[in-house]
Amino acid sequence: MLIQGIKRRTLTPANYYGEPGQGDSRIISVIASIFFIALWALVTEMGWVKPLFLPTPSAVIERFGDLVVHGFSGVSLTEHLAASLGRVFGAFFLAVVTAVPIGILIGSNVWVRGVFDPLIEFYRPLPPLAYLPLVIIWLGIDETSKVTLIYLAMFAPIALSARAGVTSARSEQIQAAYSMGATKSQVLYHVIIKSALPEILTGLRIGIGFGWTTLVASEMVAAEAGIGFMVLNAAEFLVTDVVIAGIIIIGVIAYAFDLFMRYLEKKLVPWKGY
């Protein structure tokens, strides 16, 4: 009966045999989240895993309250959050204003593609830790190197998504626009960019994920505040509840931003079928 009730609330009868993945998954997500938290509580409360390796949910909540009141390593939780958010979203803004135009130009201009495509494809597979020493040598150990490292991690997926989106514009649409008297700039904006917008937004979601992944690596070097710094510092002293609290904070912020990007997709590209 429970499964039947969930199906009635998630599946759309008219589209039962329609496109893959249709339906509302929010109820399933809530039930799954509750199940995993309950499993975590069961494993830890029964003593099957030592608190050093995995503390109980109640211990993590208690530690989170302590972080809110007293902070960590002489820095308040608000300052840790402000430092990390400033680095990630500062790099994200720079990546958006540079990677999106370059990606569009790579997809629409053979000269730009010839110049930038080899560079992006060369450094894209490299892990950020591989070129972190070089970034430090060039830019030092201040905030510039941290933001640059996160920016480089975001740039490639955003640029490649914009490039892939340009190919979504069909030649029939472009020829129809020209036949009705559109200029090159009008075709670029009204046909090519709007056709590429779904891919660009997907690239932004992927890029911000790479940014959060690189945040911890960037805060390994001479950082005095930040969620990644807090996690790394706590790991050195085996304060596992702080480590898990920091991981949860990063996950919640990243997931909230992803939900915001999904909302933008529904508003900006409703024809995509989200």
Side-chain angles (χ1 to χ4, degrees), residues 216-233:
V216 178
S218 69
E219 294 183 344
M220 291 173 59
V221 182
E224 298 180 354
I227 302 299
F229 161 79
M230 184 178 74
V231 170
L232 292 171
N233 198 357

Side-chain angles (χ1 to χ4, degrees), residues 12-13 42 58 60 82 85 89 100 105-106 118 121 125 135 152 160 208 216 218 237 259 265:
T12 304
L42 174 65
S58 59
V60 174
L85 291 174
F89 286 104
V100 172
L105 290 174
I106 289 174
E121 291 296 344
V135 173
L152 291 174
L160 293 179
I208 196 69
V216 178
S218 69
F237 297 98
L259 291 177
E265 288 177 342

Side-chain angles (χ1 to χ4, degrees), residues 44 81 98 102 127 148 183 192 198 200 203 210 217 260:
T44 53
L81 282 171
T98 55
I102 289 176
T148 301
T183 62
I192 296 177
I200 292 174
F210 279 100
F260 173 70

